[in-house]
Amino acid sequence: MERRTIVAGSLPMLLTPLTALADWELNMPRGVTDLSAEIYGLHMLTLWICVGIGIIVFGAMAYSISHHRKDKGHKAATFHESTTAEIIWTIIPAIILVSLAIPAAQALIKIEDASNADLTIKVTGYQWKWEYEYPEEGIRFFSSLDSKSREASTLGSGIDPASIDHYLREVDNPVVIPVGRKVRFLFTANDVIHAWWVPDLAIKKDAIPGFVNDMWAKVNQPGVYRGQCAELCGKDHGFMPIKVIALEDADYQQWVAEQKQQAAAASAASDREWSRDELLTQGQKVFTASCAACHQATGLGIPGVFPALKGSKIATGDLNAHIGIVLHGKTGTTMQAFGKQLSDADIAAVITYERNAFGNNMGDIVQPAAVKAARQ
Amino acid sequence: MTVPADLTHEDYGGHHGPRKGLLRWVTTTNHKDIGTLYLWFSLIMLFVGGAMAMIIRAELFQPGLQLVNPDFFNQMTTMHALVMIFGAVMPAFVGLANWMIPLMIGAPDMALPRLNNWSFWILPFAGTLLLSSLFVEGGAPAGGWTMYPPLVLQTGAAFPMLIFSVHLLGISSIMGSINIIATIMNLRAPGMGYMKMPLFVWTWFITAFLLIATMPVLAGAVTMLLTDKYFGTSFFNAAGGGDPVMFQHIFWFFGHPEVYILILPAFGIASQIIPTFARKPLFGYKSMVYATASIAVLSFIVWSHHMFTVGLPVGAELFFMVSTMLIAIPTGVKVFNWVATMWRGSMTFETPMLFAIGFIVLFTIGGFSGLMLAIAPADFQYQDSYFVVAHFHYVLVPGAVFSIMAASYYWLPKWTGHMYDEKLGKLHFWLSAIFVNLVFFPQHFLGLAGMPRRIPDYAVQFADFNMISSIGAMGFGLSQLLFAYIVIKTVRGGAKASDEVWEGAQGLEWTLSSPPPYHSFSVQPVIR
Ligand SMILES: [Cu+2]
């Protein structure tokens, strides 16, 4: 069957320029953990059993079709029952199934045992980005689609996706794990259900608001492993990739130290006064990363779904209402509470930006201190 | 055996033939007219849903967004599924049941003819309600046909339209099923014991029970969504003490039997057609009946295999893995029996037989991927990927849809009195069979390589197989225009069909003239 499709597939291949010829990926990856290899083994075992049964059944059919035909003068037999045959083709499949179920059950029990982990990472799904939190290290950050991919994937962008490195599979902040250690991932979500899927780690688990799931991986090889959200989560479901970097222990420790430094710098930034230009520059960055997916880079939104910020009552009205909706979101809509996601400085910056961009001309600025005060 | 008083009256169309004009179709209580209405409705919906599939595949032809924005893409995937399942496949099977069950069991009509009129006429309203949601503010539902909360609760003005159209569709199905059960239980001709009923009747009998058991469950689930959105309940809202996963359990408790609702009648059709063209009785009639019944029973205890990644306890995962694997046994029995029916027959290969053989082979491939999906650890890789898309399209397109085409060619001469164009029919089969594989086989590879379902744009390593799949889809879509052409041509004229139509055909429907009289079996046949 595989061969047939590949042959049929060569037709369009001849027609297309050599875009991604190297990537005729046919099969499940073997992955980089012991369990992913075991799952791959189960997959191949089942596949070969199916191929075997297929050869017997389709072979018998093909023989019958070529020999037992009226135009070859074959006369129809009259048999129409055989208890023996029925028993045989009930028992044999049952035996095959049992022999499949046993290794599958064994693998399942191992997969579901996330106890004694060396490290825990909490993964939270948002529309449409991931948040990673390392509770033991005090690290916490968001990971969203890389801006180059976002730009190229805009309807009618005219940018060739093949010209972008890892189109739709690149993020701003990858999640980093150490190799050789049992990492336990906890999954939850902020708004709707998402699913965290990295094929090389053989992990796919739903991230469900209000509930926590877990799954674990012990990666054997340093490397970069990519995946994406697997559960339909709204408009940008196809645009929330996952990038996992597995590092040797020493490199991992260094990464942790860097992250801690950055966090300290960010909190210092929230304690000082910002100039108008600083706020606007930072605000545009935050807006592109966190808001443009819905309100659009133009600030015009999508009529009926996401409101325009250009000339909006709130963005050109009372400042406190503006801070309020960004901090607390609006329940029952896709407008999230960004207070949990962004620092005071970032919120101050993005609000300043919204009030002075897209033709909005309020002239006022918001300082991080004002956001901090509004949080109380 | 009692005949409802209605059937002896002369006031609903009379014994002299149908009413004239449009009113005939609005007021009809005749099982053949209603069957015809269902079948035309289904054909139209096939093209509506097909057009949506074309938009989806056109967008996926290349990486990058060229045609539609992601929100509209999601509306298309959602609506494509709803239209195809509830608008095309189910009504087609009900239409076939309406036409054929009375003819096959020697009944004058359906047992509840007025209910029959209703169960059809609700459909166009439900369909219009659903489709018109495309034009309201915020667009059509875009949260997937599975309607998982919390996502589905973000739907705009289309939300209540979705819920009410699902309610209407459910009411229509339940009324249709009650009618089918009542007909089969009460109107069989003398001598037609249960174990003498043709398999198409048997499979529909069982399907009707599945429908009655599950449609109310779906109606309940969507009603809970409605109250969660508008009346402040928190059935599925964790913040209010509810559980979003509970919806999935309820939905799939309906949803899994639903997939058998979509395939059991197809099994029945294959079991009618294969013996006819093999000129040999169906092998293992009894085991076919038992296998169908056991599939139906098992279908109620496997639902969570759609949810292996939601975080079930290991014990539940093991249970649902094993119960799902069990379904392979009765399904296998069916396939083996069909092959044994062909074995040492005297086969000819007219269009219905071609479609029936295509059905068996390609449905079996869908069954194989189903077995793979049942293996829970491996399902962690397959779930919500294109592998799943490939799997269910194999069982639904060359599965359910091919069986409906097979049935249409098989019975069209009986319905219309004209033979269809055999050359064109065969052409239609070969085009469909080649293109359907071109669309869906590469999708297995895409899923295994890591492409999730329901995405409008993808990483460039998936480009080649997506392009092949899209080319196949365009070809498959165009080939179905040929089907519409053949059907219309046959309805309008053609060589006169004999009463028997097919040399090897067995069964009561072939004892009537082609086309059958407006009121079939005014004299009850007797089965020895
Ligand atoms: Cu998501």
Side-chain angles (χ1 to χ4, degrees):
Chain A
M1 286 163 268
E2 292 187 7
R3 186 150 39 84
R4 164 151 46 90
T5 323
I6 292 168
V7 172
S10 53
L11 174 73
M13 286 266 301
L14 296 175
L15 302 176
T16 38
L18 306 166
T19 40
L21 271 188
D23 298 301
W24 286 82
E25 197 61 66
L26 291 176
N27 206 350
M28 184 189 284
R30 203 180 283 269
V32 290
T33 70
D34 294 348
L35 282 177
S36 71
E38 194 167 331
I39 287 176
Y40 172 82
L42 272 172
H43 157 72
M44 291 312 287
L45 173 68
T46 325
L47 179 63
W48 285 119
I49 287 177
C50 291
V51 169
I53 299 175
I55 288 175
I56 297 171
V57 174
F58 298 148
M61 247 173 107
Y63 181 88
S64 182
I65 288 173
S66 69
H67 288 79
H68 307 148
R69 331 167 48 106
K70 194 179 172 206
D71 57 16
K72 285 200 176 163
H74 194 274
K75 292 268 174 308
T78 53
F79 67 89
H80 58 88
E81 218 165 25
S82 160
T83 315
T84 330
E86 303 285 354
I87 290 176
I88 291 174
W89 58 52
T90 307
I91 301 278
I92 293 182
I95 295 171
I96 295 175
L97 290 179
V98 170
S99 59
L100 244 178
I102 292 171
Q106 285 165 338
L108 196 58
I109 288 165
K110 271 186 258 175
I111 293 170
E112 294 295 339
D113 177 15
S115 59
N116 298 323
D118 302 318
L119 170 71
T120 301
I121 299 176
K122 185 175 167 212
V123 182
T124 309
Y126 287 78
Q127 282 175 320
W128 294 279
K129 60 187 167 240
W130 297 100
E131 182 195 18
Y132 298 102
E133 192 181 344
Y134 297 59
E136 290 130 10
E137 319 280 8
I139 301 174
R140 180 170 165 259
F141 58 88
F142 282 87
S143 174
S144 20
L145 180 65
D146 167 61
S147 60
K148 284 206 198 90
S149 289
R150 167 142 350 253
E151 203 190 329
S153 69
T154 312
L155 180 58
S157 73
I159 303 171
D160 179 9
S163 70
I164 312 276
D165 268 352
H166 299 288
Y167 178 62
L168 298 187
R169 288 285 172 109
E170 190 59 87
V171 301
D172 48 4
N173 304 308
V175 56
V176 177
I177 57 170
V179 295
R181 291 215 268 153
K182 183 166 181 177
V183 182
R184 176 174 182 235
F185 293 92
L186 300 177
F187 299 101
T188 186
N190 177 61
D191 33 48
V192 301
I193 303 176
H194 303 263
W196 200 81
W197 181 26
V198 179
D200 279 314
L201 271 51
I203 293 184
K204 184 187 290 121
K205 201 77 173 186
D206 290 3
I208 301 167
F211 290 79
V212 177
N213 275 326
D214 68 356
M215 194 82 160
W216 64 277
K218 191 165 155 187
V219 174
N220 297 327
Q221 252 163 268
V224 178
Y225 308 112
R226 294 170 198 269
Q228 63 190 96
C229 179
E231 177 68 51
L232 178 62
C233 57
K235 177 172 88 62
D236 277 0
H237 161 56
F239 306 90
M240 46 186 295
I242 298 161
K243 178 180 179 187
V244 180
I245 301 184
L247 296 177
E248 297 289 2
D249 218 39
D251 299 335
Y252 172 74
Q253 293 306 340
Q254 195 188 337
W255 177 83
V256 170
E258 276 166 21
Q259 291 298 306
K260 286 184 176 163
Q261 254 169 20
Q262 276 177 23
S267 86
S270 287
D271 291 338
R272 65 177 174 87
E273 285 269 306
W274 285 51
S275 75
R276 180 184 159 89
D277 281 349
E278 272 181 318
L279 286 169
L280 286 176
T281 320
Q282 176 64 11
Q284 181 168 20
K285 264 195 221 152
V286 177
F287 187 83
T288 311
S290 305
C291 321
C294 297
H295 296 292
Q296 306 297 305
T298 54
L300 292 176
I302 298 177
V305 191
F306 306 118
L309 297 178
K310 179 182 168 130
S312 103
K313 272 206 205 90
I314 294 182
T316 60
D318 178 33
L319 186 58
N320 289 329
H322 196 168
I323 298 178
I325 190 163
V326 178
L327 274 180
H328 307 298
K330 176 134 186 203
T331 39
T333 75
T334 46
M335 181 62 199
Q336 308 155 9
F338 285 94
K340 286 186 288 180
Q341 304 179 28
L342 300 174
S343 68
D344 294 346
D346 283 349
I347 292 180
V350 78
I351 292 176
T352 306
Y353 176 74
E354 284 178 352
R355 299 176 79 78
N356 296 288
F358 334 116
N360 290 351
N361 200 357
M362 299 300 290
D364 50 3
I365 65 170
V366 184
Q367 285 297 338
V371 177
K372 190 170 196 170
R375 279 187 195 265
Q376 258 104 59
Chain B
M1 197 166 305
T2 51
V3 175
D6 255 11
L7 296 184
T8 58
H9 279 199
E10 311 227 340
D11 57 11
Y12 69 108
H15 273 199
H16 309 293
R19 238 184 235 183
K20 293 278 173 283
L22 206 61
L23 218 55
R24 160 178 176 188
W25 300 102
V26 179
T27 59
T28 184
T29 54
N30 181 286
H31 75 101
K32 300 189 196 79
D33 285 354
I34 294 174
T36 305
L37 287 169
Y38 266 111
L39 289 169
W40 281 117
F41 178 81
S42 143
L43 189 64
I44 293 167
M45 286 297 146
L46 180 75
F47 285 105
V48 173
M52 293 171 177
M54 294 303 116
I55 294 174
I56 294 171
R57 283 311 327 169
E59 179 53 63
L60 292 173
F61 184 71
Q62 282 176 34
L65 292 179
Q66 289 84 20
L67 300 172
V68 298
N69 57 45
D71 191 55
F72 187 71
F73 182 90
N74 290 347
Q75 296 176 29
M76 286 296 104
T77 51
T78 305
M79 295 293 277
H80 163 72
L82 290 168
V83 167
M84 286 304 201
I85 294 171
F86 294 105
V89 176
M90 286 171 70
F93 282 137
V94 181
L96 292 171
N98 255 294
W99 250 103
M100 298 317 299
I101 289 178
L103 298 192
M104 290 175 124
I105 62 173
D109 203 302
M110 296 294 277
L112 309 162
R114 289 197 178 113
L115 191 74
N116 209 6
N117 173 289
W118 263 78
S119 35
F120 173 76
W121 277 108
I122 286 177
L123 275 187
F125 291 99
T128 311
L129 185 61
L130 185 64
L131 288 175
S132 55
S133 72
L134 279 162
F135 306 103
V136 301
E137 195 172 281
W145 83 278
T146 46
M147 300 179 278
Y148 284 3
L151 181 62
V152 72
L153 300 174
Q154 293 179 353
T155 310
F159 184 78
M161 303 167 84
L162 168 69
I163 303 296
F164 288 128
S165 65
V166 170
H167 278 152
L168 288 176
L169 292 163
I171 292 173
S172 159
S173 296
I174 291 174
M175 296 199 313
S177 305
I178 290 176
N179 208 348
I180 286 169
I181 292 174
T183 307
I184 295 174
M185 292 185 44
N186 296 310
L187 298 189
R188 278 169 291 124
M192 171 77 73
Y194 281 107
M195 286 315 264
K196 279 194 182 159
M197 295 193 313
L199 259 157
F200 180 68
V201 179
W202 252 117
T203 51
W204 242 117
F205 192 43
I206 293 170
T207 303
F209 279 105
L210 287 183
L211 273 166
I212 291 184
T214 58
M215 279 296 164
V217 178
L218 176 67
V222 298
T223 308
M224 285 149 96
L225 288 178
L226 192 78
T227 63
D228 266 14
K229 182 152 168 104
Y230 295 120
F231 303 107
T233 57
S234 295
F235 290 113
F236 309 127
N237 174 6
D243 179 354
V245 177
M246 183 172 74
F247 176 85
Q248 300 183 21
H249 283 291
I250 302 174
F251 181 86
W252 287 113
F253 187 79
F254 143 80
H256 200 80
E258 169 71 17
V259 306
Y260 289 100
I261 288 164
L262 298 173
I263 204 68
L264 292 185
F267 290 168
I269 290 164
S271 306
Q272 298 302 134
I273 293 176
I274 301 280
T276 298
F277 295 94
R279 294 173 178 73
K280 191 164 154 279
L282 182 70
F283 187 86
Y285 173 90
K286 276 191 207 140
S287 75
M288 285 300 222
V289 173
Y290 299 144
T292 311
S294 29
I295 292 173
V297 171
L298 283 173
S299 77
F300 284 101
I301 56 163
V302 297
W303 75 88
S304 284
H305 68 213
H306 296 271
M307 311 162 47
F308 277 141
T309 60
V310 299
L312 301 169
V314 195
E317 283 176 344
L318 284 171
F319 172 81
F320 286 107
M321 175 173 88
V322 172
S323 61
T324 305
M325 292 170 81
L326 279 181
I327 290 201
I329 295 176
T331 313
V333 167
K334 293 201 148 264
V335 174
F336 300 140
N337 281 343
W338 287 321
V339 176
T341 307
M342 293 165 71
W343 192 255
R344 291 179 53 207
S346 175
M347 279 188 279
T348 51
F349 301 92
E350 288 86 346
T351 311
M353 181 66 161
L354 290 177
F355 270 102
I357 293 175
F359 162 80
I360 298 177
V361 173
L362 299 176
F363 170 79
T364 304
I365 293 179
F368 285 150
S369 54
L371 177 64
M372 297 174 74
L373 285 157
I375 309 296
D379 183 76
F380 295 154
Q381 293 280 38
Y382 308 137
Q383 201 263 356
D384 264 341
S385 78
Y386 254 83
F387 191 81
V388 176
V389 177
H391 160 71
F392 67 72
H393 279 99
Y394 259 89
V395 294
L396 286 179
V397 184
V401 173
F402 268 29
S403 83
I404 292 166
M405 308 230 154
S408 307
Y409 284 110
Y410 185 54
W411 284 311
L412 205 52
K414 174 59 57 185
W415 298 335
T416 62
H418 306 133
M419 283 310 282
Y420 61 85
D421 186 328
E422 190 64 61
K423 271 215 189 85
L424 284 183
K426 284 186 171 154
L427 179 67
H428 172 228
F429 168 75
W430 285 111
L431 288 174
S432 301
I434 291 167
F435 282 124
V436 86
N437 284 294
L438 208 55
V439 195
F440 297 116
F441 211 84
Q443 296 185 355
H444 291 115
F445 307 141
L446 286 172
L448 293 174
M451 177 165 163
R453 64 192 283 204
R454 294 167 163 170
I455 57 174
D457 193 4
Y458 47 82
V460 286
Q461 70 259 35
F462 304 132
D464 300 314
F465 287 129
N466 268 301
M467 189 175 279
I468 297 170
S469 181
S470 290
I471 291 171
M474 301 300 146
F476 188 78
L478 290 177
S479 315
Q480 302 325 307
L481 294 174
L482 183 58
F483 177 64
Y485 171 76
I486 297 170
V487 170
I488 292 170
K489 193 173 157 209
T490 314
V491 170
R492 301 182 60 159
K496 184 90 194 67
S498 68
D499 294 357
E500 266 206 310
V501 184
W502 310 109
E503 189 186 54
Q506 304 284 332
L508 286 178
E509 76 259 42
W510 310 107
T511 61
L512 291 171
S513 59
S514 302
Y518 196 59
H519 294 283
S520 14
F521 297 114
S522 11
V523 182
Q524 248 183 355
V526 177
I527 291 92
R528 293 132 286 144

